[in-house]
Amino acid sequence: MRRLTILGLAFSGVATALLTASLFALADDATRLGRQRTRYRAAVRVPLARPVSDRPGVVFMGDSTIYGASAYPNHIAKVLRDTADVRAIRYPGFDFYHHYFSLGEVLELEPAVIVLVAHLRMFGRAGVFGMTDLVSMVPTAELPRAALLPLHERGITLPELIASRSLRYPWGERALELHIGLRAALQAAQGWRWLVPAEPQLDVDDPALRYAAFRRYDTPLYEQHPVVRMMAATIELARRRGAAVVVVVSPIPVARLASEGFYDPARFTARLEVLQRVTEARGGEFVDLHQLLPRDHFSDELGHTRRAGTLRIAEALAPRVIAALRRQHLESDSPAPGR
């Protein structure tokens, strides 16, 4: 019996040593892979790392509909190049959960105006992507308010909210990259799937998945809807820190939606009134562009636009951003009450 015990312990020790050695060998590659898998964190940090100019700041926050060099924030930046420092925090799948999570870092720049993209397809309760580790970017002073928000809808518990503080340090972020990269590497490696089961691979070009994403435009909205509550919290945080807020409802393919039976004008009007009430009650400005573009101005049915559509959005939105900048300038120049 003692001999079997010794043999068992020896086997366990050898197996553990081999596993540890293998994991160390994978560490560098895993960290690089993890950094690639968490590049949404860089999508927040990199635009903010640019040196601050003496011009007032304008920050756009949105999803893939403002992604890329030809997106409308870039066109508006050209219009405002002599009067404002324009930046964009954008990544595919970002919604108001991600805007709220990353807003603390944005506010460190003390921007004059924040433009929040409200893409109606991104109000699904479960969200399109995860990226919940961005909750680590919530300012510590904001945690009591954050704890009252519907973070559980995205699987974030109160202990996880507190534990996420570690990701605010370089060592914590490197540990996250190693964890995610190591998991992905082991899922892909033959012979290791017993340790880390493979996750289902989704084909973004699968017609069924694209149709399901398309249908999300027709999502019921109400003031206690989780994403609407996160929108309200985002506006409140920005306004408390002195930034003007413009909420812009992205153009959507109305004609295509109507042809599929997913667009009823009265139903959408009622939903947009909810968003307008929530925005204006918290001191934001509401800009509804959902019907702005004809069908041929979209490059797909998910809200991405052709050049003509992009330019038309920029033309419609730029005057509203300029007006918000002017109001902020007048407010900052006005004397304090009683003086």
Side-chain angles (χ1 to χ4, degrees), residues 311-338:
L311 292 175
R312 192 164 173 183
I313 298 170
E315 183 181 2
L317 185 57
R320 309 297 288 267
V321 176
I322 292 170
L325 276 168
R326 287 175 177 163
R327 285 194 299 272
Q328 281 295 91
H329 178 69
L330 290 173
E331 288 178 11
S332 64
D333 285 351
S334 60

Side-chain angles (χ1 to χ4, degrees), residues 20 42 69 94 210 216-217 229 279 324:
T20 302
F94 272 12
R210 290 183 67 83
R216 275 197 287 269
Y217 284 113
R229 288 181 61 191
T279 299

Side-chain angles (χ1 to χ4, degrees), residues 5-295:
T5 301
I6 293 172
L7 286 173
L9 290 172
F11 176 79
S12 298
V14 170
T16 301
L18 288 173
L19 177 59
T20 302
S22 299
L23 294 180
F24 270 112
L26 284 172
D28 287 342
D29 290 339
T31 299
R32 283 192 290 271
L33 179 58
R35 189 170 298 126
Q36 181 183 12
R37 294 289 181 95
T38 59
R39 58 186 180 272
Y40 49 85
R41 296 180 71 87
V44 175
R45 297 263 173 76
V46 171
L48 301 178
R50 202 171 71 221
V52 178
S53 74
D54 56 359
R55 293 168 293 166
V58 175
V59 180
F60 287 80
M61 303 184 74
D63 63 322
S64 61
T65 57
I66 65 166
Y67 201 64
S70 61
Y72 63 82
N74 300 66
H75 292 286
I76 294 175
K78 293 176 183 176
V79 175
L80 299 176
R81 61 180 174 269
D82 296 326
T83 57
D85 176 16
V86 179
R87 309 179 191 218
I89 307 301
R90 50 195 170 187
Y91 198 78
F94 272 12
D95 64 8
F96 277 101
Y97 274 86
H98 307 106
H99 300 343
Y100 175 77
F101 295 161
S102 56
L103 184 60
E105 305 245 345
V106 172
L107 291 170
E108 291 297 316
L109 292 180
E110 299 183 350
V113 178
I114 296 175
V115 182
L116 300 170
V117 175
H119 185 183
L120 294 177
R121 192 172 58 81
M122 303 302 295
F123 279 81
R125 292 175 69 101
V128 180
F129 296 100
M131 303 178 285
T132 53
D133 56 86
L134 287 173
V135 75
S136 65
M137 296 183 180
V138 174
T140 302
E142 184 71 9
L143 289 183
R145 293 185 178 92
L148 300 177
L149 294 173
L151 303 184
H152 58 277
E153 290 282 345
R154 297 293 171 88
I156 303 171
T157 64
L158 183 57
E160 287 170 335
L161 173 64
I162 303 303
S164 73
R165 303 291 89 193
S166 64
L167 300 183
R168 298 173 70 84
Y169 301 96
W171 59 266
E173 199 153 22
R174 297 295 82 78
L176 174 70
E177 293 169 355
L178 177 60
H179 169 73
I180 291 178
L182 201 55
R183 182 179 178 85
L186 291 174
Q187 285 171 337
Q190 293 294 330
W192 288 98
R193 291 180 182 172
W194 61 273
L195 184 63
V196 183
E199 296 177 356
Q201 297 299 309
L202 300 179
D203 180 3
V204 295
D205 293 321
D206 183 337
L209 287 177
R210 290 183 67 83
Y211 190 67
F214 169 69
R215 289 190 61 171
R216 275 197 287 269
Y217 284 113
D218 194 19
T219 297
L221 299 178
Y222 44 92
E223 293 199 18
Q224 292 304 309
H225 184 288
V227 183
V228 176
R229 288 181 61 191
M230 296 306 295
M231 183 182 93
T234 305
I235 299 169
E236 287 175 354
L237 176 55
R239 294 296 293 143
R240 284 200 310 272
R241 296 282 292 272
V245 175
V246 177
V247 174
V248 55
V249 178
S250 299
I252 64 174
V254 172
R256 171 84 169 91
L257 284 163
S259 69
E260 292 284 339
F262 297 135
Y263 186 83
D264 174 73
R267 188 168 70 241
F268 271 73
T269 296
R271 292 171 183 173
L272 290 165
E273 286 174 351
V274 170
L275 299 185
Q276 184 170 5
R277 283 197 306 272
V278 167
T279 299
E280 294 178 350
R282 288 155 181 84
E285 179 184 359
F286 187 76
V287 180
D288 177 14
L289 301 182
H290 89 281
Q291 291 182 314
L292 179 69
L293 301 182
R295 189 168 182 167

